[in-house]
Amino acid sequence: MAYANAYLQTATNNQFGRMVNDTIAGFKAASARRAVYREVFGQLNSMSDRDLDDIGVARIAIRDVAKQAAYGDA
């Protein structure tokens, strides 16, 4: 493990290492956002129309709500 930590420290000191680390971090962040989207979408989609009405979400807006939860206003 110490070797891996030393290697990562060396890798971040050069441009290629930073690029690889940034790419991996981007993949991890995108994966986390997709997981949030799937979770919110699944939870809302499993709710009844009455439950959705209680929280003020139309069934047709589930994708939009999940997208907002995962990705924000973008």
Side-chain angles (χ1 to χ4, degrees):
M1 189 65 169
Y3 173 76
N5 288 337
Y7 177 75
L8 287 175
Q9 267 186 333
T10 304
T12 57
N13 289 334
N14 64 49
Q15 186 176 2
F16 179 74
R18 282 191 300 274
M19 183 179 69
V20 170
N21 286 338
D22 290 346
T23 302
I24 292 170
F27 283 133
K28 287 181 180 179
S31 178
R33 287 189 297 268
R34 283 191 302 274
V36 168
Y37 177 87
R38 286 190 306 269
E39 178 68 22
V40 172
F41 182 86
Q43 290 290 328
L44 291 175
N45 200 39
S46 69
M47 296 174 83
S48 70
D49 289 336
R50 184 174 183 170
D51 290 336
L52 288 171
D53 190 44
D54 285 346
I55 62 171
V57 175
R59 184 159 299 278
I60 197 164
I62 289 175
R63 288 182 195 265
D64 295 332
V65 172
K67 184 178 177 185
Q68 171 123 21
Y71 302 104
D73 291 330

